[in-house]
Amino acid sequence: MASMLDGSELDSPFFRDRIDAGQRLARRLDAYRGADALVLGIPRGGVPVAAEVARLLDADPDVVVARKLGAPGLPELAMDAVTANGGRFLNDSVISELGVSPEYLGRAIEEQTAEARQREERFRGGRPAPRIAGRTVIVVDDGLATGATMRASVRSVRAGGPARLVVAVPVGAPQSCAALRAEADEVVCAYQPEEFWAVGYYYQHFEPVGDDEVNAILGEVWATRSAGEQAAQARPGA
């Protein structure tokens, strides 16, 4: 069963920044603490949120990279989103209205899938891809507008055979959160304003997140987890 939380459960409908959003979101995911969960952030903005969720749930952090495909001559108009392992969400209405050729679409998909694969490898910094099969996997972004990127990401993760697939965002358009119910086992959209504006509208601070920041955040979380595991193994009787 998919579940959604409304804004009444928040102290405020606005988030100070992505760290604050991640901390609030983690409180609504507390049932997964210590459950061998994997938290996947969608770069770039979803990674600071996901890092806080992973930290507070004692879960493994990683990324799932989705790339939007711009329409011919209109790069800001997304007609598709693809992931490193071929997960896709097609906006059929945009493709049809613009008369996008199969050749253009196929070439764009190939290029952006390769780019997604390269970016995932770069963000992991040499770490192997995480195990998905049989685990609870929580896919996190900083918000849902159209939901195209999230849907492509969820389809990518689903192909890996998770035991449970959860979508979690601090804020989202109600129709986008509802649409994800068909894709995930659980959907947590913490705040769903009736009149949705841009995701950044609901943050007091919503500065762009760069690749270096993503690498630094993931590296710090992984280093903390590794240190904790080593300390646990060093305890008497471990």
Side-chain angles (χ1 to χ4, degrees):
M1 288 290 292
S3 68
M4 295 184 287
L5 306 177
D6 61 33
S8 64
E9 300 197 24
L10 294 176
D11 301 327
S12 164
F14 295 95
F15 304 99
R16 183 173 61 252
D17 53 23
R18 292 180 177 91
I19 293 175
D20 175 46
Q23 292 170 349
R24 294 195 193 193
L25 191 57
R27 292 203 295 266
R28 289 150 181 83
L29 296 163
D30 193 63
Y32 299 110
R33 183 190 301 272
D36 189 33
L38 172 66
V39 179
L40 301 179
I42 299 178
R44 304 185 195 76
V47 170
V49 182
E52 287 302 305
V53 172
R55 183 177 67 83
L56 293 171
L57 298 186
D58 191 25
D60 289 338
D62 205 79
V63 295
V64 53
V65 175
R67 298 283 297 174
K68 292 182 179 179
L69 276 61
L74 298 168
E76 297 303 316
L77 179 59
M79 60 179 183
D80 195 353
V82 299
T83 61
N85 73 347
R88 291 169 52 185
F89 173 73
L90 288 171
N91 191 330
D92 294 323
S93 61
V94 171
I95 293 170
S96 177
E97 289 173 10
L98 296 179
V100 178
S101 70
E103 292 76 18
Y104 177 92
L105 185 61
R107 185 168 60 252
I109 290 172
E110 182 177 350
E111 291 173 354
Q112 292 304 320
T113 299
E115 176 66 17
R117 189 175 300 116
Q118 292 172 6
R119 290 175 70 80
E120 279 195 0
E121 292 174 355
R122 187 160 65 247
F123 288 141
R124 288 192 179 114
R127 292 183 296 270
R131 175 177 59 85
I132 289 176
R135 302 180 76 176
T136 292
V137 180
I138 305 171
V139 186
V140 176
D141 206 350
D142 54 12
L144 283 181
T146 66
T149 299
M150 179 62 79
R151 275 182 273 188
S153 300
V154 166
R155 291 174 185 181
S156 171
V157 173
R158 181 69 78 186
R164 186 168 182 80
L165 179 52
V166 181
V167 167
V169 294
V171 61
Q175 64 272 24
S176 296
C177 293
L180 263 301
R181 295 168 63 186
E183 307 276 356
D185 299 309
E186 182 178 3
V187 177
V188 177
C189 288
Y191 180 51
Q192 300 177 59
E194 292 183 7
E195 294 187 13
F196 183 84
W197 303 91
V199 170
Y201 178 82
Y202 303 97
Y203 287 80
Q204 294 175 14
H205 299 283
F206 197 68
E207 291 78 10
V209 179
D211 286 359
D212 289 344
E213 186 175 354
V214 169
N215 285 328
I217 290 169
L218 291 172
E220 182 179 353
V221 177
W222 271 111
T224 300
R225 285 189 63 73
S226 296
E229 290 173 357
Q230 291 174 3
Q233 292 173 359
R235 294 190 193 106

